[in-house]
Amino acid sequence: MELAALRESLRNLAPMATGGNALAITPVASGIAVLDRALTLGGLPAGRVTEIAGGSSSGKTTLGLKLLAEQTQAGRLVAFVDGTGQFYPPAAAAMGVDLQRTLLLSPLARGARKRTAAGDDSVLALSRATEIITRCRAFAMVLLDLPKQARLERTPARRLRVAAQATGTSIVALSSRSGNVEGAAARLQISRLQISAACPSKKKCCGHRTELQIIKGGSGTVEFDCRQHRFDNRPPRQVAPILYRAL
């Protein structure tokens, strides 16, 4: 989809604009109490860019979906900019994400996702799409899932920061390495804990423990069981259609 067409499509959501305050920085609850307590604001900063960094199977996507679920359950609209092609709607719905309040955008062609070098046009396309969605003002949170090893350099990163501050929208970028998103207001490093010899039971459940190091925007390291945030206790429901999808 052309960026101009995306901008035109989002005009229909203009009446739902939230109208954020660029000067006031308010906390956005993550839904994980131990994490919110460790963050300086008591949550992620609204109207700013947050980077969640981690390798494959580290749990960063799980955490990102948890953030989106918190927003949709509060009745707000969210967006997922899929730069990896791995968004799976049933899994997101199982985690509590209301798909009827979720915009899924896949701006890259299938082959383009494999070309993810720094400065590549595909990364710029992801950044521009995220900026356009943010400036729409209809979405409380926009989650950008960057391809592996992709970096947001100075200019695109600055444009996202300006858009977030102007609208009050929270932008959360998932990256493979901490520091790949320049100028992020909050920076988290996530990793999956491994079963160690110190574990007396050596149960497989130990592998679900996730460690989250707060590099910027707070202090300390927190641990939580990602299984507790993957599925809720409600009975299965029919997967609702996604608000909008561009291939």
Side-chain angles (χ1 to χ4, degrees):
M1 165 173 280
E2 296 292 338
L3 294 177
L6 170 63
R7 188 180 294 106
E8 182 66 26
S9 298
L10 291 176
R11 287 182 180 176
N12 295 328
L13 296 176
M16 307 175 69
T18 57
N21 188 335
L23 298 179
I25 304 179
T26 57
V28 177
S30 67
I32 303 175
V34 65
L35 173 59
D36 290 338
R37 288 195 297 268
L39 292 167
T40 302
L41 295 175
L44 300 178
R48 298 296 186 271
V49 177
T50 296
E51 179 187 28
I52 301 177
S56 178
S57 301
S58 62
K60 65 176 182 289
T61 303
T62 298
L63 178 57
L65 291 176
K66 175 62 178 175
L67 297 175
L68 295 185
E70 285 294 307
Q71 295 299 309
T72 60
Q73 289 172 8
R76 304 183 183 98
L77 296 180
V78 299
F80 191 107
V81 181
D82 187 8
T84 63
Q86 296 182 358
F87 182 85
Y88 185 51
M95 288 192 61
V97 178
D98 186 348
L99 297 181
Q100 290 183 319
R101 295 184 176 276
T102 303
L103 165 69
L104 172 60
L105 182 68
S106 300
L108 304 182
R110 292 179 180 271
R113 294 192 180 96
K114 298 180 180 179
R115 295 180 282 107
T116 58
D120 188 29
D121 289 344
S122 62
V123 179
L124 293 177
L126 290 169
S127 175
R128 286 290 292 133
T130 302
E131 180 187 354
I132 291 172
I133 294 172
T134 300
R135 291 192 178 279
C136 172
R137 294 178 178 265
F139 301 92
M141 179 175 289
V142 180
L143 193 148
L144 168 59
D145 190 8
L146 288 168
K148 186 177 180 180
Q149 304 303 329
R151 288 182 55 88
L152 278 182
E153 302 292 351
R154 177 178 301 178
T155 298
R158 181 182 59 80
R159 293 179 66 98
L160 290 186
R161 294 197 304 271
V162 171
Q165 292 176 20
T167 62
T169 300
S170 297
I171 298 178
V172 178
L174 306 182
S175 68
S176 60
R177 181 177 298 179
S178 181
N180 279 0
V181 180
E182 186 172 325
R187 206 182 302 279
L188 311 177
Q189 177 74 45
I190 191 169
S191 60
R192 186 68 55 82
L193 295 178
Q194 300 296 322
I195 300 176
S196 66
C199 177
S201 61
K202 294 185 174 61
K203 294 181 179 180
K204 292 183 178 180
C205 63
C206 296
H208 294 281
R209 298 291 299 177
T210 300
E211 179 181 80
L212 194 60
Q213 180 182 4
I214 303 175
I215 299 175
K216 185 178 180 182
S219 61
T221 301
V222 300
E223 295 182 15
F224 61 93
D225 190 333
C226 65
R227 294 176 303 168
Q228 297 177 2
H229 304 284
R230 185 178 295 276
F231 302 103
D232 52 30
N233 295 323
R234 293 173 295 179
R237 59 180 176 174
Q238 183 179 3
V239 176
I242 298 173
L243 176 66
Y244 177 81
R245 181 170 185 172
L247 295 176

